[in-house]
Amino acid sequence: MKDLLSRALTLATALFQRQALVWDGTCSTGIHMIVARGSTEPDGYGRIGVVAQNASLLIPNSSIATIVYPATFENYFTSYATGASEFEKLVLQYVDACPDSKVALLGYSQGAHAMMDAVCGNSDDGFFVSPEFQKALGSQVIAMVAFGSPDFNKTHPWSVGTSTGAGLFARKNITACEPYAARIRSWCDEGDIYCDLGSDRSVHGSYFANYTLDAAEFIAERFNSSDTVVDLPTTTAPPTTTPTQSGTETTDGTTTETTTDTTTTSTPASGAGSFNPSWIMILLMAGTLMIWTELL
């Protein structure tokens, strides 16, 4: 049944592809999702948009905004740092206008790296995360989803998937984002050249077929959870805010240092995003419609 629902959700999402699902300034009664595409993907949602759009099926009256950043391999560190800054800017812009709304952050590949650096600080040393952004993360950002992030490390409490290793830019310091561990899920599978230092290029694009429904359900569960506020320690800004690079990303997946951080985390509330019969019918009907369309 889950495979059937996953197929229906994925096909139903294609019905929304022509819509310009960007924030129009209206505060969502559902969830507001901010997404970042992967390296070299065209401007827009990128493939991670399929997760946001499936989550919007589970959480009515939701909205989606996209991160505008280069997403290039060239000047990678400048590119993803720009993405991290844009995540903070869009989150603060939205929560300032909509203090009672909930937010989710999503990223794929370089976009996931940018998202995780926005939340955790630099992969090496944990550069400064502003108090304003920490407050937003503690109160309104209730879910964060990463697919194939180069900062992946299996020892991190939010790591899921089949990988037992670490990525090109494995995160060494998770102090800043440990308070949000239950809100983060980072998927990486064995063989991925960027998040697992593997050699199978096909793995990096396989997350959408394998984990779209899992990620959408995670966002829905977090949305319905009562765990919406995290008490954060007071932080003091360091003298500089410039990130340090921990390696050079290449298209052939060269190696970098790995790390071993171990923490524990709580389990998100279960069952909050479960399907009811009406949703099943809607999703199956949407899937059937899309199958028919594909045959034309």
Side-chain angles (χ1 to χ4, degrees):
M1 176 60 76
K2 186 170 182 178
D3 290 342
L4 182 59
L5 290 173
S6 179
R7 174 66 172 161
L9 275 167
T10 303
L11 291 173
T13 297
L15 301 175
F16 294 91
Q17 292 293 341
R18 295 184 179 87
Q19 295 187 21
L21 294 178
V22 296
W23 185 49
D24 61 3
T26 303
C27 297
S28 299
T29 57
I31 193 165
H32 181 65
M33 291 170 281
I34 301 174
V35 305
R37 71 194 193 280
S39 297
T40 74
E41 288 190 295
D43 290 344
Y45 304 133
R47 281 175 281 182
I48 194 64
V50 73
V51 177
Q53 291 168 335
N54 275 289
S56 72
L57 293 175
L58 301 177
I59 309 170
N61 303 312
S62 294
S63 57
I64 306 172
T66 60
I67 293 293
V68 178
Y69 81 114
T72 59
F73 280 119
E74 299 80 10
N75 302 313
Y76 179 85
F77 291 96
T78 300
S79 176
Y80 95 86
T82 299
S85 296
E86 285 297 303
F87 264 112
E88 178 172 353
K89 184 180 80 173
L90 290 189
V91 168
L92 292 179
Q93 180 185 57
Y94 184 79
V95 301
D96 182 62
C98 307
D100 297 321
S101 295
K102 296 180 181 180
V103 180
L105 311 180
L106 300 85
Y108 167 55
S109 191
Q110 184 180 158
H113 194 181
M115 181 197 77
M116 292 301 296
D117 264 35
V119 175
C120 298
N122 179 259
S123 299
D124 276 341
D125 304 316
F127 67 79
F128 182 62
V129 179
S130 74
E132 294 81 9
F133 192 47
Q134 285 186 323
K135 181 179 178 181
L137 291 169
S139 61
Q140 289 180 252
V141 179
I142 53 84
M144 291 155 266
V145 168
F147 279 1
S149 180
D151 88 315
F152 180 88
N153 189 322
K154 183 61 178 180
T155 64
H156 295 162
W158 44 76
S159 298
V160 287
T162 62
S163 172
T164 58
L168 280 170
F169 310 116
R171 187 167 301 281
K172 299 177 181 179
N173 189 322
I174 62 171
T175 302
C177 47
E178 279 183 302
Y180 325 118
R183 306 178 184 202
I184 305 171
R185 289 294 180 274
S186 181
W187 275 269
C188 178
D189 278 348
E190 183 179 1
D192 188 307
I193 62 174
Y194 299 121
C195 67
D196 184 61
L197 295 182
S199 58
D200 188 344
R201 292 180 179 276
S202 67
V203 174
H204 195 61
S206 67
Y207 301 104
F208 308 98
N210 296 333
Y211 300 119
T212 288
L213 182 58
D214 292 333
E217 287 182 331
F218 169 68
I219 294 170
E221 289 169 0
R222 295 299 310 155
F223 177 79
N224 289 295
S225 172
S226 59
D227 175 22
T228 57
V229 178
V230 171
D231 293 326
L232 300 171
T234 301
T235 59
T236 303
T240 63
T241 61
T242 303
T244 59
Q245 70 183 54
S246 54
T248 302
E249 181 177 19
T250 65
T251 55
D252 62 359
T254 53
T255 62
T256 189
E257 295 181 356
T258 60
T259 184
T260 54
D261 296 305
T262 56
T263 62
T264 58
T265 183
S266 59
T267 303
S270 61
S274 300
F275 293 101
N276 59 41
S278 62
W279 268 113
I280 292 174
M281 291 303 298
I282 291 170
L283 296 173
L284 291 179
M285 289 173 64
T288 301
L289 175 60
M290 194 57 210
I291 292 170
W292 176 79
T293 303
E294 290 178 339
L295 292 175
L296 293 180

